Amino acid sequence: MPQLYAEVLLPLPLYSTFTYRIPEEMVDRVKVGFRVIVQFGTKKFYTGIVTSISPIAPEGFEVKEIKMLLDDYPIVKYPQLKFWDWIAEYYLCAPGDVYKAAVPAGLKVESETFVELNSDFEENPDDRLNEREIIVCQLLDHNGKMTPAEIERKTGFRNVVALIGKLLERGAAMISEKLVERYRSRKETYVRLTAQQGDSDALHAAFDAVHSAKKQETALLALIEMSGITRKGGEVKEVSRTELIERSGVTTAIIKAMADKGIVEIYKKEINRFKYNGLVGGELPKLSEAQNQALDEIHKSFLEKDITLLHGVTSSGKTEIYIHLIDYVLRRKEQALYLVPEIALTTQLTRRLQRVFGEKVLIYHSKFSDNERVDIWKRMLNTSEPCIVIGARSSIFLPFSNLSLIIVDEEHESSYKQQDPAPRYNARDMATVLGSMHSAKVLLGSATPAIDTYYKATSGRYGLVELTERFNDVKLPEIEIIDMTVERKKKKVDGTFSERAITLANEALARDEQVIFFLNRRGFAPMARCKQCAWVPKCLNCDVSLTYHKHLNQLVCHYCGATQPLPNVCPACKEPGVEIVGYGTERIEDQVEQIFPNKKIARMDLDTTRNKDGYENLIEDFSKKKSQILVGTQMVTKGLDFDGVSLVGVINADALINYPDFRASERAFNMLEQVAGRAGRRNTQGIVAVQTTNPNHPILLNLVNHDYKSFYTSELEQRQAFNYPPFTRLIYIYLKHRDISTLVELAAIYGNRLRELFGNRVFGPEEPTISRIQSLYIRKIMLKVETNASMKKVKAILRELYENMHQHPRMKGLIVYYDVDPM
């Protein structure tokens, strides 16, 4: 048999695959898509994925051998590998970055560094270990091998890596690499009768064996009933030991005694962590005449277009239309993917869909543990059964085998864009590519479509279906603009609330209705400041002021996570005059409690929804009216459906509008129209109170009339005048370095080289709004590329430039990355 070689993709930011020799005993077993353990470098081991196999030996370097084969079947499928290649090419990143983002960590076995005490170490009297080093040595002596993270957790020491480094230098400790598999399958114990179905003699023998043991007899009767073994022609059901104990009231010892007699067999089985035990109604929601018409138009559009935009006003019943489309797909024994921008939305949607489709509904997002995500991955990998997957952007990577419909709800949302790390993809755009690879139809839904999407729909590239009325003819909410400049002059402002907003809230609460207050800034206050000298505490690692969080009593950097206490005395002027300035959701919550002292208040922001159940608990309590007022960031704007909300208060519309970015107007209009859509969703017209110092701003005038098309027309004219998307494609090139002078020099050189290649399509380098993050200074270069340009060619040019730039003596330490189609 000829020697074969495998090209292996590693989860590393490297722009190529690596060739490994397939051992003779694995030649017949290693296939494309299989996971293999390979050595990379001198010590590290990684889980690679085989992308191709060839008999041609590489030349010019020594080929290492595959160390281990992990699977009996491919863990990824061919369409996924093809999809990954497209992502790497389009978003200008390494294929290894895509692999790392796509596959759950539980499927990536990696070597982990372990530290252990050197038993031969003898301390030098002239170079004694200090107290911290002695504590670490004692810990290693007691526990044996430990990871640096475990040492840090046990000791509470910071910068443990440096401490370990000193122990290694002295010979007091040694390190080793060990392969670690993070995934643990969930197994459950089951019990089955040894008697076969229809074998009455064996059953009689079983009863004879337990006739003098009443508890065993009780368990036997329960097992027979639960398994259905005596029903003619019926399927014998598996019975878990837990269910049997609950039904019969016996103990595990009783069941073991029955197994010892040969009456039953006890066995373990790997089970999926997700099981829906609720009610399945099976009834599809009834559609209005307008919804039925929209559904028919979508089906007709899909006959001509693979991608269709459903432009439906807020509360028009888009979700009910989605459910009918999903039902159509499932009845054809096919699969559907339902993308949502926020994990919060999966909570409400899951329940609505499970009532109709039961266990065919799967959920996949980053709040799940590695084990849970691997379970879903394996289920999708090993079956082509009809199902509907609800998930945030990461669910786009699942191994679908029979995908025929992708729904992208709230397609305008910036949450679909992955910012860091690479790949910096947009799940909405990736959904259209995934759909074409699977010959699946893609439905984009929104009340406020992205400018780029609506342009493609109106120019004929996508299909377009419009739904212009709310369900049950409920009127769109009334928008009331409150001029805060006038209100302050009249002394009608309490903290950050106008008297009018408070009056409207009191009226709504008096009618037993609910209120949402929206402010897109978390924390207690955006900054602290000295009243005497105007000193402002800033992050030591980033070029931003620190945000005060009252519940932590800490100043926090929202970019790197660094914290420090709020000083009692100003370090600059030594006076006790440090005050907090501005408002975040935490401070708004405090003020709301003072204004409405007898009402239950909830807060929805990143700080209150960090754990997996955070969203679910908040949404459930507010839906059941356990809380009357909800204070939140943009999380509350994204498609949540609350029956009882009649008033939405926008605390500071100016913060959304006045932002230095060409998409600022689009984001502001979308967010304000979406948050307005949370009001009056059932029987009565809601009210939206928008507080602003610029009441005549064009965005607010369009908002008052709920006039998306006028806003779109105006915005499109601006985009065309300044040659922005959808008329061009943008690529931001970021350069980062720890030394500012080196960065300025290299960024200027980079910009000039780019201009030589791309001409007047290059703008910058410039200093971004936040010019330093995590101790790295930043410069940004903008590249405007024609929409019909080949991204493959652009990537090749940028890659060649990057490699040529590395000849510069000061390039070491410079980080370069790309953001394609930035949001």
Side-chain angles (χ1 to χ4, degrees), residues 352-567:
R352 291 176 72 176
L353 291 168
Q354 281 177 334
R355 289 191 199 106
V356 180
F357 304 118
E359 289 189 356
K360 291 178 182 175
V361 179
L362 306 177
I363 313 105
Y364 188 87
H365 54 63
S366 59
K367 289 282 183 181
F368 284 156
S369 68
D370 280 343
N371 287 336
E372 290 170 324
R373 296 177 83 186
V374 171
D375 275 352
I376 294 293
W377 185 281
K378 285 188 170 182
R379 178 167 171 179
M380 296 300 297
L381 193 69
N382 296 326
T383 181
S384 58
E385 65 183 20
C387 64
I388 165 67
V389 176
I390 304 175
R393 60 175 180 254
S394 59
S395 57
I396 202 89
F397 293 114
L398 282 167
F400 296 96
S401 57
N402 193 19
L403 184 65
S404 72
L405 174 67
I406 304 174
I407 296 167
V408 185
D409 196 18
E410 311 293 351
E411 63 81 29
H412 64 277
E413 276 290 348
S414 59
S415 301
Y416 283 122
K417 174 74 171 176
Q418 161 74 12
Q419 300 296 343
D420 278 308
R424 295 169 179 85
Y425 64 90
N426 189 317
R428 175 199 64 202
D429 299 337
M430 280 171 50
T432 63
V433 176
L434 182 70
S436 69
M437 289 182 176
H438 284 267
S439 299
K441 301 298 182 183
V442 180
L443 182 66
L444 310 174
S446 177
T448 54
I451 297 293
D452 306 54
T453 303
Y454 201 69
Y455 177 76
K456 289 172 184 173
T458 53
S459 59
R461 186 170 166 186
Y462 295 169
L464 176 62
V465 177
E466 309 228 45
L467 193 55
T468 56
E469 61 184 57
R470 280 186 149 192
F471 189 71
N472 280 344
D473 294 325
V474 175
K475 291 183 180 179
L476 286 164
E478 176 190 346
I479 310 292
E480 183 170 332
I481 305 296
I482 300 172
D483 189 338
M484 293 300 284
T485 304
V486 172
E487 293 293 296
R488 286 194 176 93
K489 284 180 181 176
K490 293 179 179 178
K491 301 191 184 306
K492 291 185 175 181
V493 176
D494 182 0
T496 190
F497 286 92
S498 65
E499 187 178 285
R500 177 60 179 160
I502 295 170
T503 300
L504 289 170
N506 276 320
E507 289 173 357
L509 294 168
R511 296 190 298 268
D512 196 29
E513 295 165 346
Q514 292 171 292
V515 175
I516 292 176
F517 288 120
F518 165 67
L519 177 69
N520 201 29
R521 183 188 289 276
R522 66 186 175 97
F524 189 81
M527 61 184 250
R529 184 177 62 197
C530 177
K531 287 187 285 189
Q532 307 297 330
C533 69
W535 169 83
V536 174
K538 291 196 171 183
C539 178
L540 297 175
N541 308 314
C542 310
D543 187 24
V544 292
S545 58
L546 296 171
T547 301
Y548 178 64
H549 286 248
K550 187 179 179 182
H551 75 286
L552 297 172
N553 194 28
Q554 293 272 314
L555 294 166
V556 179
C557 175
H558 286 177
Y559 286 85
C560 72
T563 61
Q564 65 185 63
L566 181 70

Side-chain angles (χ1 to χ4, degrees), residues 111-213:
S111 61
E112 194 165 295
T113 301
F114 284 81
V115 185
E116 59 183 312
L117 197 65
N118 183 359
S119 57
D120 296 330
F121 172 68
E122 292 183 6
E123 191 172 11
N124 185 343
D126 299 325
D127 187 18
R128 298 264 179 200
L129 299 178
N130 61 35
E131 184 182 352
R132 284 159 58 93
E133 291 166 343
I134 291 170
I135 291 172
V136 171
C137 287
Q138 289 173 341
L139 190 66
L140 292 172
D141 185 43
H142 183 264
N143 292 287
K145 289 183 179 181
M146 297 179 71
T147 65
E150 288 171 337
I151 295 171
E152 187 171 315
R153 190 168 58 250
K154 291 276 188 182
T155 61
F157 295 159
R158 289 191 175 186
N159 203 13
V160 162
V161 173
L163 192 61
I164 293 168
K166 290 178 181 178
L167 291 173
L168 292 171
E169 286 176 15
R170 296 182 178 190
M174 302 183 297
I175 62 169
S176 59
E177 297 289 327
K178 178 183 175 183
L179 287 175
V180 177
E181 184 169 15
R182 292 175 175 83
Y183 174 66
R184 294 289 180 272
S185 61
R186 183 175 175 182
K187 291 185 170 66
E188 191 164 333
T189 303
Y190 283 78
V191 182
R192 64 184 164 212
L193 288 159
T194 54
Q196 298 299 309
Q197 190 175 21
D199 189 346
S200 56
D201 291 339
L203 279 178
H204 282 304
F207 277 107
D208 288 342
V210 298
H211 77 278
S212 59

Side-chain angles (χ1 to χ4, degrees), residues 592-645:
V592 169
E593 285 176 348
Q594 293 170 12
I595 297 171
F596 309 99
N598 300 319
K599 301 299 177 185
K600 179 82 167 133
I601 298 152
R603 188 175 96 243
M604 182 184 284
D605 56 27
L606 187 62
D607 298 319
T608 60
T609 56
R610 288 189 186 276
N611 64 52
K612 189 171 82 173
D613 299 323
Y615 292 105
E616 188 169 347
N617 295 337
L618 273 167
I619 291 167
E620 185 173 357
D621 286 352
F622 196 64
S623 296
K624 292 179 176 178
K625 294 193 174 183
K626 291 182 180 179
S627 48
Q628 290 79 47
I629 302 174
L630 178 64
V631 176
T633 58
Q634 60 179 332
M635 289 181 184
V636 303
T637 71
K638 299 181 181 180
L640 294 172
D641 188 4
F642 300 119
D643 292 356
V645 175

